[in-house]
Amino acid sequence: MSALITGCCYKVPGKYAQLPLDFDPNLQYEFGELINDPKSPFHPKKNDSKIMRKDEIASVIALREMFKKLNLCEQAMKDIDLYVANGIFLEDSNKYLTKISNNFKDNPNMANNPMEAIYKYTPPLLALETLTNSTMSLIAQYLKIAGYNATFGNTSTSGFYALEEAFLNISQSRSKMAIAGGSNCGGLYSLLMFRNFFENAPNWKESAACAYLLIEKEGCRDESRTPLANITAMYSSTEISFFNTTKKTLNIARFLDENQVNSHIIFTGALTSNLNEKLVNQLNKNHSITNLYNYYGNSGVSGIYLGVIEAIKSFKNNDYSQLSVIDIDPYGRFSGINLEHVEH
Amino acid sequence: MLNIKNRNKRVFIVDFDAISPIGIGRNDIYQNLERDYCNETVLEEFSNSNIPFFIGAKIPPVKDVNFPNDLFAEIALYDRKFYLLYAIFQLMRERLELMCNLVPTHKKGVVLGVGADVIPFHLFRKEVQKSISANKNPYNELIFNLNREKGFLNKIWNPYDIHSLFIAEQLSLGAFQKTILTACTASTQAILSGYYSIQNCMADMVVVGGTDSILNPLAFISFGKLGVIPEHNDMNSNTCKPFDMNRNGTLAGEAAGLAILASEEVCRSHNLQPKYELKGGASTLDAYKITAPDPGGVSIEKCLHKCLQHANWKPGDVDYIHAHGTGTKLNDSIELKAIHKVFGEKASEVPISSTKDRHGHAIGAAGVQELVVSLLALDNGFIPSNRNLQTPLKPEMNLVRKNRKKQLKRIIMNNFAFGGVNTVLAIENQA
C-alpha cells in the first residue's frame, strides 16, 4: 500500500513568549501564537474571520497558498476528500464567561438567575464559533472541497488517524486525492486540559500551528505535480491502558521493534520537555533523531504533519532516502509513518 | 470517491442499542415508537428563568448506573456525555464483552461521534466568585484547581478522546480509538468510519456509536440564539414539526448509543447470524457557508447518489428513508428537494419520516440514535410517522402521517450537520 504526497503547507509561530500563569507561578509555559497577515489576499473575509480562531484562519491561508502554487482549480477540487484533526476549540470564549461572571459580581440578583446572565451575554454565533468541525467546514467553504470528509480530534493521535484514513482510502483506490491535516489552537486551554497529566513537569512549550498534506494515488496524479514523498506504511500502538498512571510505562522500544521503523526518525515531540528528553534518549539508542520539540515544542494534532513536512525537507536536501515520523500523544499512544524519497 | 461499487468485504451490524429520551434500551424505544410517545418536556432548569427556550427531550435518570471508581463518577457528574455513554455501556456490557472477546485486541477498534464539550461553570458559582474577588481569572483557576493531582482523567475539561478511550479500555479495543467531531453527523460518520476500517482490513470488529447532550445552559441557549431551537411561547408541546409548512425549529435532545460492526469472516467463523448489513454510505461537504446550508442542496443530492451507488441500489429499491428532518426551515426544505431530485418518479412513493419530533435532536449522537430507530424499523416492519405533521411541505412526496406496518428490506438514513457536512448510510435487512 502506498500514497504519494504531492503538496504540503503549514503555518507555525514566528516567535515564542512566556505566558503568565497566575494559577501556577511555578510553571514555565512557553507558547507560540500564530500571527496571520490580515492583508494576505488569502485571508478569509472579515465576516467569517470574526468567528474564526487564529489556527483556522491560518489553515485557510496556508491551503489557499498551496492551491495557488500547485495551480489547483475549484473544479478539480470539488470531489477530493478532506480529513482534518482539530486541537482545542476554546481560544477567546473565556471572554464571554468572564462577562457573565462579572455580571454576577455586579448584580447579586443576577447571581440567583445564572440562566438569564448566560442568555444575555451569549453571542448569537457562539454555537458556530465553538463548532467542533468549524475548521473543516471553513476549509471546504474557501477551497470548495466537497468530497468525503471527517473531523477527528483532539490529541495528536487524531492527527494520525486523519492521515491514515486518507492514506488507506487512496491506497485501496476508494479515492484518488485527499487533503489531510491538523489545526492546533493550543494556548491556555490546552495547558489546562493536559497539565494534570504531567503534574511535576516544570517546563511546557507549545505551538499553535496548522499543517496539511495533499495526497494522491500514483497513476491518477497530474504530471505537473511532483511527488514530494511516498508514504509506504502507517502504524500505531495497540496498548490499551490509557488512564492508569501506575500501569503506564512508555515502551517506545517495543513499539519500534514491533514495527519496521527506519534508522532515521523525526520525532514530533512530547507534551513536556522532561518527557520529550526521556523519549529522545530511548530513541537515540538505535536511531538518529530529528527532534521537532526543539523547534515547536508540542504542536498537538498538527505535529505529525509537521513531521512529514520535515521529512520532505530532508528528502529535498538529499539527507535521507527513507525515514520515519514517530508521534506520541498525551495518553501514551505511539503512531508512526514510513516515508521514502521519490526519484523524478 | 472512485470504485464505489460494492467491495468484497461485507460488514454486518451484529448488535446495537441506545439510551434515548423515548426509551432506555431498544425494546423500550420500540414500544414507545409504536405508541407514538413523545418526550417533549419543560426543562425545569430553564423554565423558571426569564428566557424564551425551555422545552427539550431529556433522558430520565437511568437506574443502577454504577461507576467503577469515584473519579469516573465525578466525571459523569459534570460531563453529561460521559454519563450517558457509561449508561449505555453498562446496559450493553455483557453483550459487548461476549462479542468483542471473539476477536484479538489488535483487530478490534472503536469509533465514537461526540459533541462539543461544555464546562458546567454554572455549577461552580461560589468558586468562581471567590476567584473574581481575588482578581484572578476565575475560569482558569477553577479548571486548574478542580483537576489537580488527578492524573490522566480530569474532573472537568477532558479531551473528547476520553469517551472512545474509555470504551477501548473496557473492551480491549487496541486497533484504534477514534473520535469524530462533525456535530450532527458525528456518530453517523463514526459508523461509516468503522465500516471502512473493516473494508480496509484495519479491523475485523469495530464498536461504533456516539454520545451527546445539548441540554446544558450554554449549548441550549447558543442553539436557541442561532434560531435552531424555536422560542417557546407557552407550555404547549409539538414544538418540532419536521417537513411541516409551519415548522420553526428543532427539539433539543440528548442520546447515547453503541453498535457493533463485524466482518463477514468473523460472522462466519463464529456462526453469528447477523440481521443487518451495512451496505455502505457516503459523505460530502456543501463547501458553501458555515453560517447556512447550501440552498440548492447539490451536495446532499450527490451524497444520496453516492450512497445508492455504493450500495448498488436504485432509488426504487429503497423501502424507507429515515430523514434528518430537524424541523428547521432550511434543513427540511433542502432535504426534501434533494430527495426529490435523486429519487425522481420514485420520490412520491418512498416513505419518508423523521423521529426528531419525539426524541429530539441529539447532535453528535443523532446518527446512532436514529440508526437504532432504523434497525428497529427493519426488524419489526414498522415505519414511524412524522408525528406532528399537519400541513406537508411537499404534499406530492410520501411523508408518513401515521405509523405504518410494512416489511422493509432497505433503508437509507440521512444526517446533515452545521458547516455543511452530509452523511447518508444504506442498511439492508438480511431476513
Side-chain angles (χ1 to χ4, degrees):
Chain A
M1 287 206 289
S2 68
L4 292 174
I5 301 170
T6 54
C8 65
C9 60
Y10 66 102
K11 296 286 181 198
V12 290
K15 58 180 184 176
Y16 292 77
Q18 294 284 344
L19 268 191
L21 301 171
D22 53 6
F23 53 82
D24 190 354
N26 297 323
L27 182 62
Q28 300 291 318
Y29 183 56
E30 210 182 334
F31 178 60
E33 195 183 338
L34 282 167
I35 309 291
N36 297 307
D37 178 7
K39 295 201 179 89
S40 163
F42 302 115
H43 198 284
K45 288 181 274 205
K46 204 172 170 181
N47 274 350
D48 287 334
S49 53
K50 274 195 277 193
I51 59 165
M52 290 168 77
R53 301 186 313 264
K54 290 193 190 76
D55 60 294
E56 290 178 319
I57 294 172
S59 293
V60 168
I61 293 174
L63 282 163
R64 290 177 99 186
E65 285 172 353
M66 184 181 83
F67 273 38
K68 171 98 174 136
K69 190 174 167 190
L70 295 176
N71 218 16
L72 292 167
C73 64
E74 271 182 29
Q75 194 56 31
M77 291 301 106
K78 63 181 177 57
D79 285 325
I80 77 166
D81 299 351
L82 178 60
Y83 305 89
V84 174
N86 239 348
I88 305 299
F89 307 107
L90 282 186
E91 192 177 50
D92 289 333
S93 298
N94 194 38
K95 66 178 184 262
Y96 309 120
L97 300 170
T98 306
K99 252 190 184 166
I100 293 167
S101 68
N102 283 342
N103 196 264
F104 289 157
K105 188 170 124 193
D106 298 337
N107 297 295
N109 287 337
M110 197 59 97
N112 295 329
N113 200 344
M115 299 301 171
E116 272 191 59
I118 295 172
Y119 177 66
K120 187 173 174 183
Y121 290 106
T122 297
L125 296 181
L126 182 65
L128 292 181
E129 279 184 63
T130 50
L131 189 63
T132 46
N133 54 293
S134 57
T135 306
M136 184 178 79
S137 294
L138 286 158
I139 290 170
Q141 175 184 329
Y142 277 90
L143 284 299
K144 300 300 175 202
I145 295 172
Y148 189 82
N149 61 89
T151 293
F152 297 83
N154 48 349
T155 62
S156 55
T157 301
S158 292
F160 172 83
Y161 287 146
L163 182 56
E164 188 186 49
E165 201 134 318
F167 168 68
L168 287 170
N169 283 334
I170 282 174
S171 295
Q172 304 255 15
S173 300
R174 294 177 198 288
S175 306
K176 64 177 182 179
M177 198 192 278
I179 295 223
S183 175
N184 191 49
C185 177
L188 207 52
Y189 283 105
S190 173
L191 173 67
L192 285 168
M193 182 174 279
F194 296 111
R195 174 78 186 102
N196 195 42
F197 290 24
F198 308 99
E199 191 75 25
N200 296 320
N203 300 308
W204 286 61
K205 181 177 175 181
E206 188 176 5
S207 293
C210 67
Y212 296 87
L213 304 172
L214 176 66
I215 306 165
E216 298 190 63
K217 183 145 187 79
E218 181 60 280
C220 300
R221 176 178 63 90
D222 188 305
E223 287 302 315
S224 65
R225 285 193 291 279
T226 311
L228 303 174
N230 191 18
I231 302 174
T232 55
M234 295 187 72
Y235 40 90
S236 54
S237 52
T238 55
E239 302 283 338
I240 42 140
S241 172
F242 310 113
F243 304 127
N244 191 329
T245 48
T246 54
K247 278 188 184 171
K248 195 174 282 306
T249 50
L250 295 172
N251 202 336
I252 195 166
R254 186 161 77 189
F255 177 68
L256 299 178
D257 285 340
E258 285 171 356
N259 295 284
Q260 288 176 330
V261 178
N262 290 305
S263 56
H264 184 75
I265 288 175
I266 293 174
F267 182 55
T268 60
L271 260 180
T272 67
S273 56
N274 318 28
L275 180 60
N276 191 71
E277 197 179 317
K278 191 173 155 183
L279 290 170
V280 166
N281 286 342
Q282 287 182 36
L283 289 169
N284 261 331
K285 286 181 184 160
N286 295 309
H287 300 84
S288 62
I289 314 288
T290 300
N291 182 6
L292 289 192
Y293 191 91
N294 293 339
Y295 306 118
Y296 306 124
N298 182 267
S299 50
V301 292
S302 61
I304 205 144
Y305 298 95
L306 291 172
V308 171
I309 291 170
E310 188 65 28
I312 289 168
K313 289 180 194 169
S314 297
F315 292 151
K316 268 193 182 156
N317 296 336
N318 291 316
D319 294 340
Y320 302 96
S321 59
Q322 289 181 322
L323 45 72
S324 299
V325 177
I326 302 291
D327 179 80
I328 180 174
D329 88 343
Y331 293 101
R333 293 182 291 180
F334 292 109
S335 46
I337 306 172
N338 288 354
L339 298 153
E340 69 181 16
H341 182 41
V342 180
E343 297 290 343
H344 54 85
Chain B
M1 290 196 153
L2 296 181
N3 288 352
I4 49 176
K5 285 187 231 169
N6 222 351
R7 303 293 293 195
N8 294 331
K9 269 189 176 290
R10 297 175 71 185
V11 178
F12 294 95
I13 303 168
V14 297
D15 200 354
F16 65 96
D17 218 327
I19 288 192
S20 161
I22 60 165
I24 307 297
R26 62 197 209 191
N27 293 339
D28 211 20
I29 292 170
Y30 180 63
Q31 279 171 26
N32 286 327
L33 279 170
E34 265 200 316
R35 70 181 183 90
D36 238 8
Y37 170 63
C38 168
N39 187 0
E40 190 178 297
T41 48
V42 171
L43 303 171
E44 275 177 33
E45 55 268 51
F46 301 103
S47 64
N48 296 327
S49 307
N50 204 15
I51 62 172
F53 317 109
F54 47 80
I55 291 177
K58 188 165 182 164
I59 296 171
V62 182
K63 282 188 217 164
D64 303 323
V65 176
N66 302 311
F67 295 96
N69 60 48
D70 289 344
L71 184 54
F72 280 125
E74 233 173 2
I75 293 169
L77 192 59
Y78 301 119
D79 180 353
R80 180 77 173 161
K81 300 194 301 292
F82 187 80
Y83 168 80
L84 294 175
L85 181 72
Y86 190 83
I88 186 59
F89 169 72
Q90 192 175 263
L91 186 77
M92 289 181 78
R93 185 174 202 143
E94 279 178 30
R95 289 144 59 189
L96 287 166
E97 284 172 348
L98 199 68
M99 208 53 80
C100 290
N101 282 341
L102 300 177
V103 176
T105 296
H106 69 286
K107 289 303 280 180
K108 52 191 177 187
V110 55
V111 192
L112 297 183
V114 303
D117 201 12
V118 182
I119 305 171
F121 290 115
H122 62 291
L123 299 177
F124 299 105
R125 290 205 307 267
K126 283 188 192 148
E127 290 89 342
V128 166
Q129 295 227 225
K130 264 191 228 164
S131 295
I132 293 172
S133 321
N135 282 322
K136 291 186 172 186
N137 183 305
Y139 299 103
N140 299 343
E141 281 289 306
L142 180 76
I143 299 171
F144 179 70
N145 288 328
L146 282 175
N147 289 338
R148 288 195 96 148
E149 294 164 12
K150 297 286 184 213
F152 290 88
L153 282 166
N154 295 325
K155 201 163 165 173
I156 62 171
W157 193 230
N158 281 294
Y160 291 103
D161 309 68
I162 67 152
H163 304 91
S164 57
L165 290 173
F166 172 78
I167 297 290
E169 236 187 37
Q170 299 297 315
L171 298 170
S172 299
L173 307 174
F176 44 78
Q177 308 83 27
K178 300 182 187 179
T179 304
I180 305 262
L181 299 172
T182 43
C184 316
T185 60
S187 49
T188 326
Q189 285 200 340
I191 295 161
L192 202 47
S193 176
Y195 169 84
Y196 280 119
S197 298
I198 293 175
Q199 289 240 321
N200 288 333
C201 303
M202 295 308 292
D204 290 325
M205 184 174 281
V206 187
V207 175
V208 296
T211 178
D212 202 359
S213 174
I214 55 164
L215 303 183
N216 58 76
L218 207 53
F220 192 64
I221 289 168
S222 302
F223 279 112
K225 282 201 159 186
L226 201 59
V228 171
I229 301 171
E231 290 195 0
H232 305 123
N233 296 317
D234 54 41
M235 300 291 183
N236 285 342
S237 60
N238 299 340
T239 60
C240 179
K241 303 179 174 119
F243 308 121
D244 192 280
M245 292 288 288
N246 298 311
R247 69 199 184 283
N248 61 350
T250 200
L251 176 63
E254 56 181 9
L258 295 170
I260 307 176
L261 305 182
S263 67
E264 190 178 8
E265 294 91 331
V266 164
C267 293
R268 207 181 315 116
S269 55
H270 296 286
N271 212 22
L272 303 176
Q273 309 284 333
K275 287 196 206 172
Y276 324 99
E277 183 178 355
L278 188 52
K279 296 294 284 183
S283 190
T284 60
L285 289 158
D286 279 3
Y288 181 69
K289 273 194 254 188
I290 196 166
T291 47
D294 174 12
V298 170
S299 283
I300 293 180
E301 259 179 69
K302 197 160 76 166
C303 198
L304 286 162
H305 265 304
K306 285 186 171 195
C307 179
L308 288 174
Q309 212 174 350
H310 193 186
N312 212 14
W313 294 350
K314 295 188 281 299
D317 294 332
V318 175
D319 295 315
Y320 167 53
I321 298 176
H322 188 95
H324 188 52
T326 52
T328 56
K329 285 277 182 229
L330 287 176
N331 175 83
D332 291 7
S333 53
I334 297 169
E335 184 172 10
L336 287 186
K337 184 172 165 182
I339 292 172
H340 201 276
K341 276 210 168 158
V342 171
F343 281 74
E345 59 189 28
K346 299 292 179 189
S348 59
E349 295 172 19
V350 63
I352 302 167
S353 70
S354 160
T355 50
K356 288 186 174 67
D357 46 16
R358 63 203 80 198
H359 55 58
H361 190 351
I363 310 289
V368 66
Q369 177 170 224
E370 292 160 31
L371 174 76
V372 168
V373 170
S374 300
L375 293 173
L376 288 169
L378 275 178
D379 207 23
N380 295 283
F382 171 80
I383 300 177
S385 65
N386 295 291
R387 192 183 173 277
N388 301 331
L389 180 62
Q390 290 181 324
T391 318
L393 181 57
K394 277 188 175 281
E396 69 274 23
M397 292 177 79
N398 190 356
L399 295 166
V400 181
R401 311 272 302 251
K402 270 188 169 349
N403 293 342
R404 282 184 212 169
K405 280 288 197 182
K406 184 189 175 200
Q407 284 307 307
L408 299 173
K409 178 83 177 164
R410 297 184 176 110
I411 289 184
I412 288 278
M413 191 188 97
N414 299 344
N415 285 109
F416 313 124
F418 293 113
V421 187
N422 314 305
T423 310
V424 180
L425 299 179
I427 310 149
E428 188 170 276
N429 197 343
Q430 298 301 290

